[in-house]
Amino acid sequence: MLLCIPDILSPDEVAAFRATLDAADWQDGRMTTGPQSAETKRNAQIPLDSPALPDLQRHLVRALTRNPLWVSAALPAKILPPMFNSYTGGQTFGIHVDNAIRPIPGEGRQMRTDVSCTVFLSDPDDYDGGELIVEGHYGAQAVKLPAGHCVLYPATSLHQVTPVTRGARVASFFWVQSMVRDDARREMLFDLDQSIQSLSARLGLNDSEAVRLTGIYHNLIRQWAEC
Ligand code: NI
């Protein structure tokens, strides 16, 4: 499932993120990638030890985990602290697949990447190119969202970022280890949850059918979740 979620960050929050990021030091993005991806990756990233990072990471994770749509879609067990990248002057990231396992910086632990997330921090009018192209069962989908919006998609997908031919495409990217590793199961749970929310809004929280479906939702989580 590829899902776009609006307004993870407000325009004021985006402006504050950008002020911090624009003043920070950047490094070559190939520092955090495997050898195959490094061949096709051309961008800049905020170094993992940058003093600018921890506040931005905390702020963004708080905004994500307060968003019911994001939580329902990702069902997060572990969230990699978000990283930040920038593409300018024709930079691009050719087609690749993300590493399945990543170390969690500073924790000495690893996590599985089930869900890939990008939070856009540039307005689409401020740059040309820079579409995120995600290959799925129904073909390729191009994603370019307003600043503050987020896309999430299965980390199993082949994907690329097309060359940025004008301006700067600044974004946050990170991965989630989901409680439900299988994308098809996550999608069914998301659809069921959204239907329950809409039924409850129409019929009331204590409507007997809505309560029964809520029970099914939680029992499926019991069957499928790994915490
Ligand atoms: Ni990638």
Side-chain angles (χ1 to χ4, degrees):
M1 171 177 63
L2 183 152
L3 184 71
C4 299
I5 302 181
D7 304 323
I8 291 286
L9 297 175
S10 70
D12 284 351
E13 290 176 304
V14 170
F17 270 64
R18 285 299 302 271
T20 303
L21 291 169
D22 292 350
D25 290 326
W26 293 75
Q27 69 176 187
D28 190 315
R30 282 170 284 192
M31 303 299 284
T32 58
T33 201
Q36 192 181 46
S37 291
E39 289 287 309
T40 61
K41 184 178 185 183
R42 298 288 178 272
N43 66 6
Q45 281 179 206
I46 299 288
L48 294 178
D49 59 359
S50 167
L53 263 189
D55 277 355
L56 297 182
Q57 290 172 326
R58 266 194 300 273
H59 188 137
L60 184 52
V61 168
R62 199 165 53 231
L64 291 160
T65 52
R66 282 181 180 166
N67 186 296
L69 210 52
W70 188 86
V71 172
S72 177
L75 295 172
K78 295 178 190 167
I79 303 171
L80 192 82
M83 295 184 275
F84 296 85
N85 60 15
S86 168
Y87 295 79
T88 55
Q91 287 181 320
T92 180
F93 197 163
I95 194 149
H96 66 282
V97 67
D98 297 334
N99 287 350
I101 303 291
R102 294 195 77 96
I104 305 177
E107 289 196 19
R109 288 189 303 149
Q110 303 191 107
M111 59 175 273
R112 190 183 62 237
T113 57
D114 297 320
V115 179
S116 296
C117 285
T118 298
V119 177
F120 290 79
L121 296 170
S122 291
D123 197 82
D125 292 341
D126 290 345
Y127 62 101
D128 290 334
E131 285 89 2
L132 170 67
I133 311 275
V134 181
E135 311 271 346
H137 297 305
Y138 301 107
Q141 217 169 327
V143 182
K144 184 170 178 175
L145 299 178
H149 293 208
C150 167
V151 59
L152 51 85
Y153 57 97
T156 49
S157 316
L158 283 166
H159 58 281
Q160 60 181 306
V161 176
T162 64
V164 172
T165 55
R166 177 187 64 88
R169 177 201 193 268
V170 178
S172 177
F173 67 102
F174 56 96
W175 293 269
V176 175
Q177 179 174 321
S178 178
M179 290 186 287
V180 176
R181 76 156 73 181
D182 180 69
D183 180 59
R185 289 179 174 179
R186 270 199 316 277
E187 184 165 2
M188 284 190 282
L189 288 166
F190 176 74
D191 286 342
L192 179 56
D193 186 36
Q194 294 310 300
S195 296
I196 292 169
Q197 302 302 326
S198 125
L199 262 185
S200 302
R202 265 189 290 147
L203 304 175
L205 277 178
N206 294 321
D207 173 77
S208 62
E209 297 308 317
V211 170
R212 188 188 296 269
L213 288 174
T214 303
I216 292 171
Y217 176 83
H218 285 286
N219 289 334
L220 286 172
I221 295 269
R222 283 189 183 88
Q223 293 284 323
W224 293 340
E226 316 150 42
C227 297

